Structures are given as structure tokens and as C-alpha cells.
Amino acid sequence: MGNPPRSLSAHQSRRFPVKNRPRRIDRATLIERPTFRLMLVWAALVAGCALLAVNLFRLQIVQAKQLQARAQEQQMVYMRPFIPRRQIIDRNGTVLALDRPVYTLFAHPKLFKEPKPAIAEKLAPLVRRSAADLAKKFDQAETGVRMEYALSESTADQITNLQIDGLELLQSQQRLYPQQTMAADVLGYVNDDHKGQAGLELSQQALLERLSKPVRLRRMGDGSLMPDQVPGGFLNLDDWQLQLTVDSRLQRVAINALQQQVKTFNAKRGTVIVMDVQDGSLLTLANTPSYDPNQYFNYSLDRFKNWALSDLYEPGSTFKPINVAIALETGSIKPDSAFYDEGQIYVSGWPIQNFDYSTSGGRGSITLTEILEYSSNVGMVHVVQQIKPSVYYTWLKRIGMGATVGIDLPSEATGQFKTQKTFLESPIERATTAFGQGFSLTPIHLAQLHAVLANGGKLVTPHVVRGLFDSKGQPYWQPNLPAPRPIFSKATTQSVLAMMETVVSKGTGKSAQIPGYRIAGKTGTAQKANPNGGYFENAKITSFVGIFPVEAPRYVVLAVVDEPKGGDAFGSTVAAPVVKAVMEALISLEKIPPSTVVSGVRGEG
């Protein structure tokens, strides 16, 4: 037999593989094969397409309506264009209030490409500030520093022309009052939101604010509006202006005369009212102190009240002609009636005396005309005692005591008057009412009542708005005022006017005389009521009301001065000179000819 086979060593077995043994293929070799790579790419593409299809189904089917609405919301914009408020002009066309474009200057120092001091030097003369101040403001923040507010268009153009990176101008609208304090109490002002806060700006907001409906516009990809989508007339403005009955020229005269007397007598405040007695239109409604509506934020809140219609006071002797007219109209007395003036009397235990009782005593028997001429309190008490109390109360309510006049300005106060029960049961209430105390009203109400005496007996509504007019003076809208309401007969008012004329020609109102003109008037010097009851010991309110020309009454002029100081502070010395100055201006402005007949005027004045 042959030799047996030898076993192979480990080395020999690796070198000479055994027949039918499986071959090993490493992973790198497998990946490198083209077929595998193609299959892997194909699988990835199929998976990606499947995901895209699912997402497309979600976007196109499931969320289609929601996404479409979001797209439209992003593409469409609703715009309400900013439209300036309408201008306010006086009776002669003088502009009293208008809107103008202004600019706010912001600085963004981080965007500056020049040194801050250099930019400050260029900017300083345009904004009228020192370069040092501007440089300090630049250091406040890296962006959004507000440098100036309410710059004019010309200044904004000059800043733009500097071409300085990092400066930004934002446009807005500002209400401008060119006449400043002259008509502030009538006009009022608007706040930063362009909403009226006082005066006509508040009460006539609906007329002054132009209304516009929001317009739906489409935007392009960069956010700009598509020009072909802007509707025609988008920014068309009407040219209507709110015209007033106020005369700026007369208003200035009134303010100057009033300020002079307030300063001379160290008074608290004063007001002047000029009313056309035929229709109630106000040519002047002026107060002092006042405010500048361009800078309303610099004043205290009490300045924004027009106290001629928002504050009450006791009118004193200026109410006596109204009581005389009531007595005549009710038939309780006659124009030639006479009364005994003791100088001092007692009513329900209360003393009532004339203002000059300590020097003149009683005057004895005097006529109605002399009662007004001497401003006799005792005489007026006797006159009112002739009127049946219930009839007297009814007439006082008929002329508006305890009510308002309905003026077209905001914040009118309601007068204070006793209840019917108190008035009828208390003789002292009727006695004090006889000479204008014990009740309160507004200056505008007193002017309205004297207009009744001037126009033949009709109660007219005081107002300052004439209407909306276009640039050619054609009316678009005018207020629908209440019809004049008959109060007194013409015979009654003519009798009272004749009595009031002697007050100016011979009595306490001589300081209001104007040579060649017939003027009726009445002085008033009343104790000032204490809100806590009674009267202040040394405080008083002086007033004077004038009506002219007497032969054809057209105007009522009322001046009221609150708390004048000094022993010579009376209606005749404080308020009457103001009324005289205003009437002289009226004569010049309205070209009022002298009276054809001037009766009883003395030379002294």
C-alpha cells in the first residue's frame, strides 16, 4: 500500500483553497457595483416623490382654503388715506385753523458714515440748536433717537438735501392756529390723535373731520402698491371751510382792551361778548387769560374752559332792566310809575340797601328811569313787589333761568335758580332777585337776554358757526337755528331802552359815552358768591352791558371782569371802558353813521 496522505498546514490551506468553499465579498466591493447604486438612488427618488405628493395633497386639498385666505391677506391691504381736517375761517375769510404737513426727525447713529460732531455741525443751523446738544443726543442710543418734532416742509427739504446716512424724516399732520391766542376760547384745540378736545374742534368734530372709507388695494412682491389697482379719486378732497361769525379784527380790539383793564385792576379774569341782536351771531367771544392752542400742552386744564359759557356768576344790577321789562309786560307797573326809595329797607328781617346809601341816603320818590339811572336796589325791590310772585317766577323761567342758551360750543353750564316752592314762600328770594343776586347764570345768557331788549322782544340763539362754504364762498351747509321766540312786546322793550339810555347819558354808565352816538347800557357791581354759602367779603364781579345804536339797535356788547382790586373798582370804572373801546371799533369796522338825534348827552365823560 502506498503512503497515507499528509495533512495540509494552515499556510497551505490558505494558499490552496478547498474545492466548493463559498467566496467572501466585502461591503466596499458591493457598494462599488453600478447596479446597487442605481437602485439606491431610485429608492431615494421614489421616497422623495412620495413625500412631495403627500405634501402637495396636504397643501392643495387639505389646507387649500386656509392658505388661499392667508395669501390674499398678505397680498391685499386696506388703506384709509389721511385726510386733513377742514379749515376754520372767520366771517371775513381770515384763516383761524388749518392742517399742515410736519416732520419728525429721527437719528440712527449706528448708520452714520461720518463722525457725529461733523453731522451735528451740519444739522445744527437747520434745527436751530447747538451742535453740542445734537452730539449729546446722538449718544443716547444707537438707533431711533428723536431729534426734533414738527419740522416744517422747507426745513425737512433742507435736511434731505444734506444726504446724510442715518437721518430719517417721518411725515405727519399738525393743526396750526395762525392767530395763536386770539380765538383760542372759540376754536379749542386737537390732541396728538387729531381729535378735538375743546371749543369748536370738539363740538363741530363731525363738520371739521373729512370722512373716507377704507379702500382695498393689491400689493406687489416688494410690498409696493400696484398702481393700476388704485381707484380714481382716492385722494380727492373737498374745499369746504367752516366759516364763523367771529370778526378777528374786533376780537383783537376786545382782547387788548380787556387785558389792559384786567392788568390795571389786578383782576382774576375777564370776558367780552359782542352779539348781533337780530340773529344771535357772535362777532366776539374773548377771554383773558387765554392760551395758545398750538402749544396747549404747556397750559393747565382750567385754561381750556370758556368761562363766558361754562362758569356761573350773579349778574347784579345788569339784570335790573330785565326785571323792569317783566314788570311792564305783566302790567304790574307803567313806564311813568314812581316809587319811594328809602335807601335801606328790611325784607324778612334782612337789610337791603343801595350801594351809595352811606353817602347819599334815601332819594325819596323816583321814577323807573331814575331807578335804573341811579341803580337803586331799594327801588327795584319795590318794583318787583308789584308783580304777583307766581307770575314773576313763571316769567323768570320763561326767559331761561336755570337753563342753557343752546350755543354751538361745548361745556355750557346750566344756570342755578331757586325751586318754585322756595321762591314763592321766601320774600327775601324775590327781593334779592330784583337786583340780580341770589341766582346765577352765564355771561352768554345775560347777553342773550339783553338782545331781547334790543331786537324788539325776541329770544335768539347765540352761535358762532355760520356754515360750511367752498372756496368761492358758496354755502354747502348752514346750521338750522331755532326760530326767534317772542318774549316781550316792542312797546315794552322800547320803554326799557329809553330808560337804559339815561344810564349812559346821565347815570352810572357815563364812561361808555361816544360823542354823536346814542347808547343804552347798564352797569353792574355784584358781590361774589362763596361756593360754601354766603358771599366773599372783599371779592366782587364788575360788568357793563351796552346796546347801540339806540335808534336802530344792532349790537349788544357785554364785558365782565372778575375780582378787580381797589376801592374804585366798579362796573362803571372797570367794565364800561372796555365796552366803549369795542363799540368804537365796531363803528369803524361796520361804518356805522352817527345817530341823527342825540338826546340828553352831557359833555362830561
Side-chain angles (χ1 to χ4, degrees):
M1 294 181 59
N3 294 327
R6 291 178 299 176
S7 60
L8 296 175
S9 65
H11 174 75
Q12 290 175 327
S13 65
R14 287 196 298 271
R15 187 174 180 183
F16 303 101
V18 180
K19 187 177 181 182
N20 296 330
R21 186 176 181 177
R23 297 180 62 187
R24 295 179 59 190
I25 303 175
D26 61 358
R27 186 178 179 185
T29 304
L30 180 63
I31 293 176
E32 289 176 359
R33 290 185 178 181
T35 302
F36 179 80
R37 289 199 303 270
L38 289 174
M39 292 296 293
L40 187 61
V41 170
W42 179 83
L45 290 176
V46 170
C49 290
L51 291 175
L52 289 175
V54 171
N55 193 46
L56 188 63
F57 177 81
R58 181 178 64 86
L59 296 176
Q60 296 291 331
I61 305 299
V62 178
Q63 298 182 347
K65 292 183 178 180
Q66 179 183 355
L67 294 175
Q68 185 179 17
R70 289 178 59 185
Q72 289 178 348
E73 182 180 348
Q74 294 172 357
Q75 295 168 5
M76 306 300 294
V77 60
Y78 289 88
M79 292 191 62
R80 183 188 296 273
F82 183 88
I83 300 179
R85 289 168 75 91
R86 294 187 176 99
Q87 292 186 2
I88 303 177
I89 59 176
D90 78 346
R91 66 190 298 122
N92 301 309
T94 301
V95 176
L96 303 178
L98 74 158
D99 273 17
R100 64 168 181 173
V102 293
Y103 296 82
T104 301
L105 175 63
F106 287 91
H108 307 284
K110 69 178 183 179
L111 301 179
F112 288 169
K113 295 182 179 179
E114 300 179 48
K116 293 178 182 179
I119 295 178
E121 288 290 342
K122 294 180 181 179
L123 195 59
L126 301 182
V127 297
R128 298 180 180 178
R129 294 179 60 179
S130 68
D133 287 344
L134 295 178
K136 287 182 181 180
K137 293 209 72 173
F138 289 155
D139 292 332
Q140 290 180 356
E142 290 188 354
T143 185
V145 181
R146 192 172 82 167
M147 305 299 296
E148 286 294 333
Y149 174 73
L151 295 172
S152 66
E153 276 191 297
S154 60
T155 301
D157 289 341
Q158 290 176 305
I159 294 174
T160 301
N161 291 336
L162 293 177
Q163 297 183 346
I164 297 175
D165 291 332
L167 295 182
E168 180 184 18
L169 289 163
L170 295 182
Q171 182 181 347
S172 60
Q173 292 288 329
Q174 182 187 59
R175 196 66 163 167
L176 175 66
Y177 303 92
Q179 312 303 324
Q180 298 177 317
T181 62
M182 187 270 293
D185 298 287
V186 174
L187 299 175
Y189 68 96
V190 298
N191 61 12
D192 290 341
D193 295 326
H194 235 54
K195 298 297 181 181
Q197 301 297 300
L200 290 173
E201 296 282 20
L202 175 60
S203 66
Q204 306 303 315
Q205 173 86 8
L207 294 178
L208 292 169
E209 190 175 47
R210 294 181 173 97
L211 299 178
S212 62
K213 296 181 179 180
V215 179
R216 188 180 183 188
L217 302 174
R218 186 180 297 276
R219 293 190 296 192
M220 294 187 287
D222 60 357
S224 60
L225 298 178
M226 297 179 66
D228 59 334
Q229 299 293 321
V230 179
F234 178 56
L235 294 177
N236 281 355
L237 304 178
D238 62 67
D239 63 349
W240 302 332
Q241 299 170 313
L242 186 67
Q243 187 170 42
L244 308 185
T245 61
V246 173
D247 189 322
S248 299
R249 302 167 300 175
L250 189 63
Q251 184 93 351
R252 289 191 183 279
V253 172
I255 291 174
N256 290 336
L258 185 62
Q259 288 177 339
Q260 179 178 340
Q261 290 298 88
V262 167
K263 181 178 180 181
T264 299
F265 289 89
N266 193 25
K268 179 180 179 181
R269 58 185 180 176
T271 187
V272 176
I273 299 171
V274 179
M275 180 187 294
D276 187 319
V277 303
Q278 299 303 320
D279 61 7
S281 59
L282 299 178
L283 282 71
T284 291
L285 183 55
N287 297 329
T288 190
S290 187
Y291 67 98
D292 184 351
N294 295 302
Q295 300 178 8
Y296 66 88
F297 39 80
N298 290 330
Y299 297 86
S300 58
L301 291 177
D302 62 327
R303 289 288 185 92
F304 305 142
K305 290 197 310 179
N306 187 339
W307 76 277
L309 51 95
S310 65
D311 286 8
L312 303 174
Y313 81 113
E314 297 189 4
S317 295
T318 52
F319 197 78
K320 289 176 180 176
I322 309 300
N323 280 325
V324 171
I326 292 174
L328 289 172
E329 192 70 21
T330 58
S332 304
I333 61 173
K334 295 181 179 180
D336 58 354
S337 296
F339 299 87
Y340 193 81
D341 179 5
E342 301 94 335
Q344 176 177 278
I345 59 174
Y346 285 85
V347 178
S348 298
W350 293 90
I352 293 176
Q353 64 183 31
N354 297 333
F355 77 95
D356 58 352
Y357 175 67
S358 59
T359 57
S360 301
R363 290 190 169 86
S365 180
I366 58 176
T367 65
L368 271 176
T369 298
E370 290 172 325
I371 288 176
L372 293 183
E373 180 182 331
Y374 298 129
S375 198
S376 170
N377 292 339
V378 172
M380 281 305 307
V381 172
H382 290 320
V383 169
V384 165
Q385 286 174 340
Q386 306 304 307
I387 311 173
K388 186 178 178 180
S390 60
V391 173
Y392 185 32
Y393 184 84
T394 299
W395 269 90
L396 290 171
K397 298 300 288 185
R398 183 179 179 184
I399 62 175
M401 291 296 100
T404 60
V405 303
I407 192 172
D408 47 11
L409 287 166
S411 306
E412 182 189 355
T414 302
Q416 293 181 351
F417 199 68
K418 298 297 190 296
T419 63
Q420 184 174 10
K421 183 177 185 297
T422 301
F423 190 82
L424 297 183
E425 294 179 354
S426 177
I428 189 61
E429 292 293 346
R430 299 191 295 275
T432 55
T433 302
F435 52 87
Q437 298 212 229
F439 67 95
S440 57
L441 45 64
T442 58
I444 192 66
H445 193 178
L446 184 67
Q448 181 195 41
L449 294 179
H450 277 274
V452 175
L453 300 178
N455 65 23
K458 301 184 294 295
L459 191 73
V460 294
T461 302
H463 61 281
V464 295
V465 174
R466 184 166 175 253
L468 282 177
F469 292 79
D470 63 21
S471 58
K472 297 180 181 179
Q474 297 300 311
Y476 170 75
W477 169 88
Q478 290 181 286
N480 184 20
L481 298 172
R485 180 161 58 91
I487 300 294
F488 301 127
S489 67
K490 190 172 183 178
T492 293
T493 59
Q494 287 179 336
S495 296
V496 176
L497 279 181
M499 299 174 194
M500 292 176 68
E501 187 176 7
T502 65
V503 174
V504 176
S505 62
K506 299 189 295 182
T508 57
K510 288 188 291 185
S511 55
Q513 291 178 1
I514 299 176
Y517 290 87
R518 297 176 60 191
I519 298 169
K522 186 68 191 78
T523 55
T525 305
Q527 292 175 284
K528 188 169 182 179
N530 188 328
N532 299 319
Y535 294 89
F536 290 109
E537 184 175 351
N538 298 317
K540 53 190 173 183
I541 294 182
T542 60
S543 56
F544 183 83
V545 59
I547 299 173
F548 91 110
V550 171
E551 67 276 11
R554 181 65 186 275
Y555 302 105
V556 164
V557 183
L558 171 66
V560 182
V561 179
D562 188 13
E563 294 189 25
K565 308 298 189 298
D568 61 341
F570 299 98
S572 58
T573 57
V574 179
V578 176
V579 172
K580 177 180 179 179
V582 173
M583 290 190 297
E584 288 175 333
L586 261 174
I587 291 171
S588 175
L589 294 172
E590 300 297 326
K591 297 179 174 55
I592 301 173
S595 302
T596 54
V597 177
V598 182
S599 59
V601 176
R602 293 180 178 179
E604 64 269 20

